[in-house]
Amino acid sequence: MATKIINVEMLGKMFLAGASNIEAKKEFINELNVFPVPDGDTGTNMSLTIMAAAKEVTALSNPDMVSLAKAISSGSLRGARGNSGVILSQLFRGFTKGIKEHKEIDVIVLANALVKAKETAYKAVMKPKEGTILTVAKGIADKGLELAEETDDLEVFIPKVLEHAEAVLEKTPEMLPVLKEAGVVDSGGQGLLEVLKGAYDAFLGKEIDYSAIKPSAGAGITKISAESTAEIKFGYCTEFIILAEKEFTEEDEKGFKAFLESIGDSIVCVADDEVVKVHVHTNDPGLAIQKALTFGQLSRMKIDNMREEHEEKLIRDANKIAAQQKEAEKEAKQKEPRKPMGFIAVSIGEGLNEIFRELGVDYIIEGGQTMNPSTEDMLTAIDEVNADSVFILPNNKNIVLAANQAKALVEDKEIIVIPTKTVPQGITAVINFVPELSAKENEEMMLEEIKNVKSGQVTYAVRDTKIDDKEIHEGDIMGIGDAGIISVGTSIEETAKDMLLQLVDEDSELISLYYGEDVSEEDAENFSAQIEELYPQLDVDTHFGGQPIYYYVLAVE
């Protein structure tokens, strides 16, 4: 029998199943990334993006199509991380625009929504590149329109769209030479396919594991110290009713109360003919129950852990106080006159955080390479900076889209995204800030100055691959420049030197080295001395960056 509609309940299940599937497959998707670097990447970013929306969906009770569409769109937009996550959020945004006015989804509505999804995602990317997730989305939309003219049966429509999506994905290496060289399909396209596969499983009625979507019991919970519950002498509030099998005499009542007093406190023991109501705080409820069973059967048994309840109360109180303090600080800050301009920077290590603070950056978002911050993180930062114009320095090419998405959601401040793709570019941008100039003049100056920065990063390969005509093996050291991998070797210092050889030219004046958390100060100073010897005509500045994963981040200006 044909299936011709998807109702709101089914759509919710399909969305959550898609989220669960990409969460389960995220490491597989990460491994498809062309660069073999040890970063949280496409699969992680797409999973975190859709999970943010999934939590909003699960919070709905009895949703209609409008509220479900809003939860999917808003949750994914705010939770979007990395370029792949932002594009996925835009696909959801377009898709939900296409369905929200309909109580049920048929083939025509679904096909049009897929087109709307594709169009919205393409508009969000300044220079759309084929051979990516966008190409897969386009293939899905085109096939959907074609099939909508041939069938009204969703059981025919959906699998054929999926089959076509897989065929398009398999062709992505032919569209992007870098994919072909690395021997992989596009990771973002694979991620989109996994979302659709999960949704289709739910449509077919397959059993889905939704456990990944349920919020962790310990998430966001502050650990309460043992001292805070020490005043609770007896931990279990124990209540039950005895249905006495013979008369419960005054002597029985007196003896039972004495027993309860020997194992706890807060005793209540009230007898009414053959029914006895019992309440006791004790550390061993089993003893109270065993004794009670000598008088008859038990009913309405209830045992509560009072220490746990006390901890939960303390947590609620602490969270309430913290929220009140934060709100008070926020109100106090808002009462202060706004300054003309402020800065937000994404940073990747304690040393670099401190450098940005010393340069006057108002708010540091920690993340960068190993965990791309979300659009929501950007919005929180914007809210905290009390300025009319706020400059955002993403300092990573994979964060620029999320910054721009946040900009589009802000109405009460001017947001200026300086598209810094590396931390050295961000440092150069803020160094060249002139408070006396207007925001527009500063924007123009920063955009011009970051063009003079050539960046490099030294890290290790997590797998074998071939890229930019370079054979790379797991464990090799890589020097990654602004346009790709510049050098490969087995020594951190020698690979960095080889990279510098290609970055330094006759116009270069300064080399800046930022050493990571896995490099000792002594090793960094020795390496700096070697660089000074190699380039005596240049100034060499060395700073502790504290960044994970990247042994050195360096800049040539």
PDB file of all heavy atoms in Angstrom, residues 29 35 125 362 553:
ATOM      1  N   ILE A  29      32.904   9.931   9.081  1.00  0.00           N
ATOM      2  CA  ILE A  29      32.889  11.141   8.247  1.00  0.00           C
ATOM      3  C   ILE A  29      34.167  11.948   8.464  1.00  0.00           C
ATOM      4  O   ILE A  29      34.754  12.466   7.510  1.00  0.00           O
ATOM      5  CB  ILE A  29      31.632  11.981   8.554  1.00  0.00           C
ATOM      6  CG1 ILE A  29      30.374  11.190   8.182  1.00  0.00           C
ATOM      7  CG2 ILE A  29      31.658  13.307   7.802  1.00  0.00           C
ATOM      8  CD1 ILE A  29      29.103  11.733   8.778  1.00  0.00           C
ATOM      9  N   PHE A  35      42.559  16.803   4.553  1.00  0.00           N
ATOM     10  CA  PHE A  35      43.744  17.045   5.371  1.00  0.00           C
ATOM     11  C   PHE A  35      43.779  16.038   6.516  1.00  0.00           C
ATOM     12  O   PHE A  35      42.828  15.943   7.288  1.00  0.00           O
ATOM     13  CB  PHE A  35      43.740  18.466   5.945  1.00  0.00           C
ATOM     14  CG  PHE A  35      44.183  19.506   4.956  1.00  0.00           C
ATOM     15  CD1 PHE A  35      43.841  20.835   5.131  1.00  0.00           C
ATOM     16  CD2 PHE A  35      44.948  19.165   3.849  1.00  0.00           C
ATOM     17  CE1 PHE A  35      44.245  21.806   4.229  1.00  0.00           C
ATOM     18  CE2 PHE A  35      45.352  20.122   2.940  1.00  0.00           C
ATOM     19  CZ  PHE A  35      45.007  21.449   3.131  1.00  0.00           C
ATOM     20  N   VAL A 125      26.660  30.700   0.923  1.00  0.00           N
ATOM     21  CA  VAL A 125      28.087  30.548   0.638  1.00  0.00           C
ATOM     22  C   VAL A 125      28.491  31.540  -0.441  1.00  0.00           C
ATOM     23  O   VAL A 125      27.915  31.562  -1.533  1.00  0.00           O
ATOM     24  CB  VAL A 125      28.407  29.103   0.185  1.00  0.00           C
ATOM     25  CG1 VAL A 125      29.893  28.944  -0.102  1.00  0.00           C
ATOM     26  CG2 VAL A 125      27.961  28.116   1.256  1.00  0.00           C
ATOM     27  N   ASP A 362      37.973  42.189  23.976  1.00  0.00           N
ATOM     28  CA  ASP A 362      37.000  42.172  25.075  1.00  0.00           C
ATOM     29  C   ASP A 362      36.552  40.767  25.463  1.00  0.00           C
ATOM     30  O   ASP A 362      36.262  40.505  26.628  1.00  0.00           O
ATOM     31  CB  ASP A 362      35.758  42.982  24.673  1.00  0.00           C
ATOM     32  CG  ASP A 362      36.092  44.424  24.369  1.00  0.00           C
ATOM     33  OD1 ASP A 362      36.165  45.224  25.309  1.00  0.00           O
ATOM     34  OD2 ASP A 362      36.306  44.750  23.180  1.00  0.00           O
ATOM     35  N   VAL A 553      52.697  27.607  15.721  1.00  0.00           N
ATOM     36  CA  VAL A 553      51.951  28.468  14.806  1.00  0.00           C
ATOM     37  C   VAL A 553      52.892  29.618  14.504  1.00  0.00           C
ATOM     38  O   VAL A 553      53.490  30.195  15.423  1.00  0.00           O
ATOM     39  CB  VAL A 553      50.648  28.996  15.443  1.00  0.00           C
ATOM     40  CG1 VAL A 553      50.009  30.051  14.552  1.00  0.00           C
ATOM     41  CG2 VAL A 553      49.671  27.852  15.685  1.00  0.00           C
TER      42      VAL A 553
END
